[in-house]
Amino acid sequence: YFVGNTTIYPDFNILDSAGKTPTRFVYDSNFTFITYRNLFRKKFVAQNIYFRKGDLYNERRFVKTINRFNSLGAWRAVNVEQIPRGQTDTVDVELYLTPANKYSFTANIERSFNSSTSINLEENLVGIGGNIQLTNYNFGKAANRSSTTARYTTELNPEGEFVKTIQTSISHSIVFPKPIPNSNWMPAKFRDNFRTNLSFALANTERKDFFN
């Protein structure tokens, strides 16, 4: 059979959608979007669907579409329903995408022990540190993963000057689930698994009486 109309619910959630008026939008004559909160860019969603109106049914493309949305991390559930159109050879498709939590927050505390010996000095240092990380799984409404991490650590010498080392750092990264810039010349089997990572980090380490 052939693929008919494809209706996409990019932010489908039974609880959040209750009582809200959906917005309908036709994109590129191939897809109809029904949205409740406008969480995702329509062009981005359409680029990750591997079947079009009028295509002969191909199970590999349907499975590839489901796997693609599951791998992006912005959705926690993906469901495809195929609805036969009467006595014809056409089947309409409904794609339900349930968003995952947009943000996650983690915090870690760690402890270490370091023993060092130089010509005139022997030190036993106890390290205490921690870091916090905030991650956005839908940065720019295109399933880009944005993470910011802040870290603070210090080494203490119980036998001498108390604070020996202080290190602070902050880092930020954005992972795009596609090549940047767009590389249409690249074979699709490579392009679909491509990631682009933009990141920077700043750090300062101060070792008392030695260096900064």
Side-chain angles (χ1 to χ4, degrees):
Y1 60 85
F2 295 90
V3 177
N5 298 322
T6 299
T7 304
I8 306 167
Y9 298 79
D11 50 11
F12 179 76
N13 189 315
I14 295 177
L15 297 178
D16 291 344
S17 304
K20 294 184 179 180
T21 302
T23 300
R24 179 183 293 267
F25 181 85
V26 177
Y27 178 82
D28 193 25
S29 74
N30 284 295
F31 307 110
T32 298
F33 283 83
I34 297 180
T35 65
Y36 293 88
R37 293 178 290 166
N38 192 31
L39 298 180
F40 302 93
R41 291 166 50 195
K42 299 173 180 63
K43 179 179 179 181
F44 165 74
V45 175
Q47 288 175 340
N48 292 283
I49 298 176
Y50 300 101
F51 53 85
R52 296 291 187 271
K53 186 175 182 179
D55 287 352
L56 186 66
Y57 173 77
N58 185 312
E59 184 176 8
R60 182 181 62 84
R61 293 183 181 179
F62 275 77
V63 173
K64 184 178 179 180
T65 298
I66 295 173
N67 291 340
R68 175 62 172 169
F69 283 110
N70 281 325
S71 69
L72 291 173
W75 291 274
R76 62 179 175 84
V78 180
N79 184 37
V80 177
E81 294 187 5
Q82 303 175 44
I83 306 171
R85 189 187 295 177
Q87 301 298 318
T88 70
D89 60 356
T90 300
V91 173
D92 295 323
V93 179
E94 293 186 351
L95 181 61
Y96 295 89
L97 306 173
T98 302
N101 291 331
K102 183 176 181 179
Y103 295 100
S104 71
F105 176 81
T106 59
N108 298 293
I109 298 176
E110 60 187 45
R111 187 174 70 89
S112 63
F113 178 78
N114 179 34
S115 179
S116 62
T117 304
S118 60
I119 296 177
N120 298 316
L121 180 65
E122 180 177 351
E123 293 180 317
N124 295 311
L125 304 179
V126 177
I128 299 174
N131 66 72
I132 57 175
Q133 182 181 68
L134 177 66
T135 302
N136 179 349
Y137 292 96
N138 188 30
F139 178 75
K141 296 186 177 182
N144 304 312
R145 189 173 71 249
S146 171
S147 298
T148 302
T149 303
R151 179 178 175 84
Y152 176 88
T153 59
T154 183
E155 284 186 320
L156 311 176
N157 182 8
E159 300 174 358
E161 297 178 338
F162 192 60
V163 178
K164 295 295 295 184
T165 308
I166 296 176
Q167 183 181 65
T168 56
S169 67
I170 184 169
S171 61
H172 182 75
S173 66
I174 305 175
V175 180
F176 302 89
K178 61 181 180 180
I180 294 179
N182 288 328
S183 302
N184 293 328
W185 53 268
M186 186 182 298
K189 64 179 180 179
F190 298 121
R191 188 167 60 245
D192 294 339
N193 296 317
F194 205 95
R195 299 290 187 273
T196 303
N197 191 342
L198 174 65
S199 62
F200 75 87
L202 298 173
N204 182 75
T205 302
E206 180 180 0
R207 181 68 183 268
K208 189 173 180 61
D209 298 328
F210 279 92
F211 63 84
N212 187 353

